[in-house]
Structure formats: structure tokens, C-alpha cells
Amino acid sequence: MPRPTRGPLATSQGRCPSVTPGTWAAATLAVRPWQRWQQRMPQALERADGSWAWVVLLATMVTQGLTLGFPTCIGIFFTELQWEFQASNSETSWFPSILTAVLHMAGPLCSILVGRFGCRVTVMLGGVLASLGMVASSFSHNLSQLYFTAGFITGLGMCFSFQSSITVLGFYFVRRRVLANALASMGVSLGITLWPLLSRYLLENLGWRGTFLVFGGVFLHCCICGAIIRPVATSVAPETKECPPPPPETPALGCLATCGRTIQRHLAFDILQHNTGYCVYILGVMWSVLGFPLPQVFLVPYAMWHSVDEQQAALLISIIGFSNIFLRPLAGLMAGRPAFASHRKYLFSLALLLNGLTNLVCAASGDFWVLVGYCLAYSVSMSGIGALIFQVLMDIIPMDQFPRALGLFTVLDGLAFLISPPLAGLLLDATNNFSYVFYMSSFFLISAALFMGGSFYALQKKEQGKQAVAADALERDLFLEAKDGPGKQRSPEIMYVTSV
């Protein structure tokens, strides 16, 4: 079969379609507009670890600050929205819970879009959706409309922008990937610092509707960050091979079969059956998420309930964000040291335990300076959780299965984020005491830390026992071989090595 020439039908991946002489003219006409466009607008591929990679890193920092930092300022609008719609604490809590849940649960859908359209288009699409959701929410007449616009649509857009920007860092940085991820995480801390201050200022001057309208314009900056992301040249060169014969026709899969295959490809339900550590980690993190986001939602209303000034109450969230600017990269660098590699899951459990204990301090007193000390202590444990949560997952799951494990991990955590604030709102409506919300947060965090720490220790002891049995069996087999000598043939024995 002749080799394909560089004609109008050659593709950029080194493949060529099967063309018969009778269809040559029609196929040539079909691709001519695409060829003319490609000749007029050639794509310049950026080099990994090049100078433009640092510009993309800056865009990723801004995107993370706009997306992951935004949910922390929702507590500033909590009392205003509750008064506007005459709603209970539980009903108002559904807004931040839907926003945060969609931000985490839409990860597999974002992965499909990235694979189909690329990171640049997905980031820009996320910016447009987040902006449309906030602009539409400023015209909401009831909480149901707010749930759909500012909750679902804005959360979906933030998920697209955030996860796509993180994905592209893996292509732009190879040698300095750890440093790039640590610097990108500083964008979250900057967002946590600046969003509450901007929200408080705009709320006093424009009201919550005008503030949400301005936020719609702010989220359009994600489109600018997405436009900065240029295509990256990969190290794999396209292969030029002979065109294979056309594959035999296979019957098309049904809709249910296609959906099932897609779910299996992006969600690792099968890993739950074979990896006990993964099951323990997912259950522990889901249980802890029922208490972890509560201080970020209810800290400002709790401070105002204790007669703290509104400006000072908004400043508390900014203190948490400003402290994380320095603490989160430091925690990431310490967690990456080889000395802590085998103890990272225990350090994560310890960070959850400290986070739960600090919430007890907040529940004990509502004085402003006590709350400032609480925010500083909360920042230490929060930075440890943020630096270790995905690193521990990488330690438990092999890297070839990590994307699927991460997809299921984010979906289940999103379900916990969806339940947590409304559950706390029900408790607040029943007791009319904000202190019980922080007691509830401490209960979930402390119990999750003890569960994961004890389970990981039991699994480690069990694994060490299996390794000892395998080592004894191997030593006994070698001893028998040496005793029998090389001239004797023994019947083969089957030895099951359970761990390497």
C-alpha cells in the first residue's frame, strides 16, 4: 500500500483517511476551507518550562482566587439574604451549599470538556457561565431562583475555570511542577483575603443585588486568564505510518451503555472494591466535610450575633486568607519532604483534629480578639488540610488510576458539601444559638480524624503482618533449596506474595 503524501488530506496527528479515487474531489473540496483557515492562522505552540509558563501560572493564581476564594465571602450576605427573602437559616444555607457542591461535583464533566475542547476554551466557558449566573441572580425574586443562578450556574462555571487552569499547569511545568502548584495555591489565599473586604464595601454602597451584578463583571476576568493559555508543544512527535485498512463496522452502543462506559472511565467505583485505604480515606473526608465548611459560612453571622462590628466581622475571614498566603506554601514544602512521606496520612488526620479543637475555642467566646486568635489557629490547621488532602490521595492510589479516583473523590465530597450547611441551618433554627453550629463542626472533624488515624494504623499493622509472613515463607523456601542441594529436584511449591 503506498505511503500517504503531504496532500490536502493529511492530518496533524499523522493519520490519513481512507479515500477512493471516486471520492477524491469531494473530499478535497470538503477540507479546503479548513486548510485556508489553518494557513491564515497558524497556531504557535509554547514550550514547556518556558518563559510563557510563568504568565500561565499568574493566570492560574488569579483564576483560583476568583473561584475557590469566592465561597468564603457568602457568609457576609447571609443575614442580608435572610432578611430580604424572609427565610430561615436552613433555607438560606442552601445557597452556599449548592454553590460549593457544584464547584466540586462537576469535575468529571469538566474533564470531558477539557478532553474535547481543551483547557483554554473550558476556562473561558467557565468565566462566561459564572458571570451569567451572578448577573441573573441580581434579579432574583425568591430563593429558588437564587439557588439556580448564583448556586448552580455560577458553581458550574467556577468548576470549569478552576479545574481546567489546574490541569494546564501539568503541561506547562515539568521540572518545577511542585513549585508551580505551591505558588498557584497562593491564589486561593489571596482570594480568601480580598473577597470579604470587597464584598463588605460593595454591600454597604450598592446592596446585595448591585454587589452580585458587579461580581458578574469580576468573573469575566476568568475569560482573560483563559485567553492567556496557549497550546503547549508536547515531547511526543506525531508518527507517520501507512494508513491502515478501515476498521470493520461495529454496532453502535446504546445510550445507557455509553453513559455507563463514560461513568466507569471517569469514576473509580471499581477501586472501592480492591483498595481498603481508598475506602477509608473517602469515608473519613466525607465525614469531615460535614463540619469543615461551617466556620466559613457562619463565622461572620456568629460574630455579628455577638455584637461585633460588621467591618470587623468581615475582617475575620480576611485574616484567615492572609495567614494562608504564608502558611499554605510552607505546609506544602514540609509535606513534600522525604522524611514525612510515610507519615502524611497521619499528619492529615492530625490537621483535622486540630481544626476541630480550634472550633471549640470559637464556640466558647464571641469576643473579637478571641475570634482573631481563633482565625490564626484555624489558618494553621486549614493550611495543613489544603496542602495534604490531594497528596495523601496520591499516596494511596497509583498514579495511573489517580484521575478516576479523583473524579469519584470530588463527586462524593460535593455531596457532603451539599448537606453540611443546611444541616447546620436546621440545628440553628431549632436552638437559635450559633455556638451549637461550631460544636457540630468540631464533632464531625474530631471523629473523622480519630477514624482515619485509627484505620490507617490498623491497615498498616495488617500489611506489616502480611509482609512478615511472606518474608518467612521466602526464607524457608531458600533454606530448603540450600539444604536439598542443586542436584535434587523438589516438587514445586506455590507461594502467594501479598505485598511487594
Side-chain angles (χ1 to χ4, degrees):
M1 182 176 180
R3 293 181 178 271
T5 58
R6 294 184 178 179
L9 293 178
T11 59
S12 60
Q13 287 83 10
R15 300 186 298 268
C16 63
S18 175
V19 181
T20 61
T23 58
W24 177 267
T28 305
L29 291 175
V31 297
R32 277 178 180 173
W34 176 80
Q35 286 180 329
R36 290 195 297 269
W37 174 83
Q38 188 184 36
Q39 291 174 358
R40 290 196 303 266
M41 299 183 63
Q43 288 188 352
L45 299 179
E46 292 293 331
R47 181 170 53 89
D49 291 312
S51 57
W52 193 255
W54 299 102
V55 181
V56 175
L57 175 61
L58 179 61
T60 302
M61 291 178 61
V62 174
T63 304
Q64 287 206 35
L66 291 174
T67 54
L68 290 186
F70 177 72
T72 58
C73 74
I74 299 300
I76 296 175
F77 303 97
F78 192 91
T79 305
E80 192 76 16
L81 293 174
Q82 191 176 12
W83 179 84
E84 172 77 16
F85 297 109
Q86 296 297 311
S88 63
N89 293 288
S90 178
E91 293 172 341
T92 311
S93 300
W94 277 106
F95 165 45
S97 67
I98 293 174
L99 175 69
T100 311
V102 175
L103 176 60
H104 289 81
M105 292 177 64
L109 179 58
C110 178
S111 300
I112 296 174
L113 292 177
V114 168
R116 179 66 179 85
F117 301 104
C119 294
R120 168 187 273 185
V121 176
T122 309
V123 171
M124 298 176 71
L125 174 63
V128 172
L129 287 177
S131 176
L132 288 176
M134 295 307 298
V135 171
S137 67
S138 64
F139 300 97
S140 298
H141 297 290
N142 51 60
L143 279 177
S144 299
Q145 296 176 358
L146 190 70
Y147 296 157
F148 180 73
T149 54
F152 180 78
I153 297 179
T154 301
L156 191 64
M158 291 195 301
C159 176
F160 290 168
S161 296
F162 155 64
Q163 296 203 17
S164 303
S165 63
I166 289 298
T167 302
V168 81
L169 280 184
F171 296 101
Y172 267 96
F173 288 91
V174 179
R175 291 183 291 108
R176 301 184 179 92
R177 186 172 297 169
V178 176
L179 176 63
N181 287 320
L183 293 176
S185 66
M186 293 177 61
V188 183
S189 304
L190 288 172
I192 297 175
T193 304
L194 299 177
W195 272 117
L197 300 178
L198 177 64
S199 301
R200 186 73 254 171
Y201 175 78
L202 293 177
L203 182 61
E204 291 180 350
N205 292 275
L206 302 177
W208 74 268
R209 295 184 184 272
T211 302
F212 281 16
L213 191 63
V214 173
F215 286 171
V218 173
F219 278 120
L220 287 177
H221 288 80
C222 292
C223 300
I224 301 176
C225 296
I228 292 175
I229 301 174
R230 298 173 180 173
V232 189
T234 60
S235 58
V236 180
E239 298 179 358
T240 57
K241 296 182 179 180
E242 295 184 357
C243 295
E249 295 184 358
T250 57
L253 295 176
C255 181
L256 293 178
T258 304
C259 294
R261 183 170 295 183
T262 303
I263 292 174
Q264 185 179 4
R265 184 166 60 248
H266 292 280
L267 301 178
F269 285 104
D270 56 322
I271 302 180
L272 292 173
Q273 302 176 1
H274 306 96
N275 195 324
T276 309
Y278 183 56
C279 296
V280 169
Y281 191 61
I282 278 188
L283 290 176
V285 173
M286 282 186 64
W287 189 256
S288 66
V289 165
L290 293 175
F292 180 72
L294 297 183
Q296 303 173 25
V297 177
F298 293 98
L299 178 59
V300 174
Y302 173 71
M304 296 171 61
W305 186 62
H306 282 280
S307 303
V308 176
D309 183 68
E310 295 180 357
Q311 291 285 353
Q312 292 180 330
L315 185 63
L316 294 173
I317 301 294
S318 299
I319 292 174
I320 296 176
F322 184 76
S323 302
N324 269 267
I325 295 176
F326 308 99
L327 292 174
R328 182 168 292 201
L330 181 61
L333 292 176
M334 292 183 62
R337 295 181 63 87
F340 297 105
S342 60
H343 304 289
R344 276 194 283 256
K345 50 183 175 290
Y346 300 111
L347 292 177
F348 179 75
S349 301
L350 179 61
L352 287 178
L353 181 63
L354 293 177
N355 194 270
L357 293 176
T358 53
N359 289 334
L360 295 176
V361 175
C362 180
S365 175
D367 183 72
F368 174 72
W369 292 108
V370 174
L371 294 179
V372 169
Y374 159 76
C375 291
L376 294 175
Y378 182 86
S379 300
V380 176
S381 58
M382 180 182 178
S383 61
I385 294 172
L388 290 170
I389 184 169
F390 293 116
Q391 186 62 50
V392 174
L393 185 61
M394 293 179 185
D395 295 340
I396 296 174
I397 297 295
M399 287 307 298
D400 59 335
Q401 300 177 351
F402 181 77
R404 298 171 58 239
L406 180 62
L408 180 60
F409 181 79
T410 54
V411 168
L412 295 179
D413 282 354
L415 291 175
F417 275 112
L418 183 65
I419 298 171
S420 176
L423 188 63
L426 286 175
L427 179 63
L428 185 58
D429 290 333
T431 60
N432 199 26
N433 191 339
F434 279 93
S435 299
Y436 288 104
V437 174
F438 291 89
Y439 289 137
M440 170 183 168
S441 176
S442 297
F443 167 73
F444 284 116
L445 288 165
I446 294 175
S447 57
L450 296 177
F451 166 74
M452 281 195 292
S455 299
F456 283 136
Y457 181 77
L459 289 176
Q460 183 179 2
K461 287 297 183 182
K462 184 178 179 180
E463 190 69 21
Q464 290 176 354
K466 291 182 179 180
Q467 292 178 358
V469 171
D472 292 341
L474 180 61
E475 183 179 357
R476 184 173 62 254
D477 186 68
L478 294 175
F479 175 76
L480 292 176
E481 285 184 359
K483 182 179 179 180
D484 293 342
K488 296 183 179 181
Q489 297 291 335
R490 297 186 299 109
S491 60
E493 296 181 359
I494 300 176
M495 180 181 62
Y496 296 95
V497 180
T498 59
S499 177
V500 179

